[in-house]
Amino acid sequence: MRFSKALQVLLLTACCLPVWCAAGDAPLVSEKALAAVMRGEAVVLLRHAEAPGTGDPAAFDLSRCNTQRNLSTEGRQQARRIGEQLRSLGLAKARVLTSPWCRCRDTAALLGFDTPLHVAALGSFYQGHTDESEQTAATLALLARLQGPAILVSHQVNITALTQGAVYPDAGEAIVVDRSQPARVLARLRLG
């Protein structure tokens, strides 16, 4: 059977891309990236689910969710769907670590895994909440010492910094990264 040159390029590209994509309700995943997560050689970095707006209000208080930008109704539903899809990929036993920001904590809880661990290093440094380089170094150190499969729920700025600008994730987008310094992107996943 002969294929046109354009179709050959399309098929070759589709077969070689290390991305995850939804096909109906069942996500397809790069087996290599998923195996690396299962062996603990890579982790899933998940940007929190849909939370309209950017940053946090001027009266932001980390201890009070009503002063922060929070998940929308769609964001809450999205987080539940993402959890279902991650479990269907065999990650039901993954540890979940989360930023202390409410939109991340809520995303992590709604995934439906065991109780998430709140980790300050995963918090947002957007708007100067903390020092970007120190926080990124702390998160890379966390990646180096984690054991087993893990899902880290954080913010766009953190994920972008960890990958040295390679990724600007959308709300609810997951990135599979290895534990190198800086983290190398193995796959991107749009769930929910």
Side-chain angles (χ1 to χ4, degrees), residues 4-61:
S4 71
K5 184 70 170 170
L7 185 55
Q8 289 174 5
V9 170
L10 180 62
L11 289 171
L12 180 61
T13 302
C15 292
C16 295
L17 287 176
V19 298
W20 303 20
C21 59
D25 287 340
L28 301 176
V29 62
S30 159
E31 292 299 323
K32 186 175 180 180
L34 182 58
V37 173
M38 298 304 286
R39 287 190 308 269
E41 297 168 1
V43 299
V44 175
L45 296 177
L46 175 65
R47 182 179 177 193
H48 60 78
E50 185 62 43
T54 54
D56 286 290
F60 163 80
D61 179 347

Side-chain angles (χ1 to χ4, degrees), residues 43-166:
V43 299
V44 175
L45 296 177
L46 175 65
R47 182 179 177 193
H48 60 78
E50 185 62 43
T54 54
D56 286 290
F60 163 80
D61 179 347
L62 189 56
S63 67
R64 296 182 25 225
C65 291
N66 65 343
T67 67
Q68 301 176 38
R69 181 166 61 98
N70 291 293
L71 297 182
S72 63
T73 300
E74 172 54 34
R76 297 179 83 70
Q77 294 168 349
Q78 180 186 34
R80 287 184 192 100
R81 289 190 304 266
I82 291 168
E84 290 170 9
Q85 292 170 325
L86 290 170
R87 282 189 301 281
S88 76
L89 291 170
L91 293 173
K93 300 289 185 189
R95 292 180 56 200
V96 178
L97 292 80
T98 183
S99 158
W101 267 245
C102 293
R103 58 188 169 271
C104 291
R105 289 180 10 211
D106 291 345
T107 298
L110 291 166
L111 293 176
F113 290 75
D114 286 340
T115 303
L117 176 64
H118 301 173
V119 178
L122 297 175
S124 179
F125 52 75
Y126 185 71
Q127 299 171 307
H129 294 299
T130 60
D131 180 75
E132 175 182 346
S133 60
E134 288 176 14
Q135 191 164 337
T136 300
T139 304
L140 288 169
L142 171 69
L143 289 178
R145 68 178 181 269
L146 277 173
Q147 300 287 317
I151 300 166
L152 285 64
V153 182
S154 193
H155 307 265
Q156 175 269 312
V157 292
N158 301 67
I159 295 169
T160 299
L162 287 168
T163 62
Q164 290 193 326

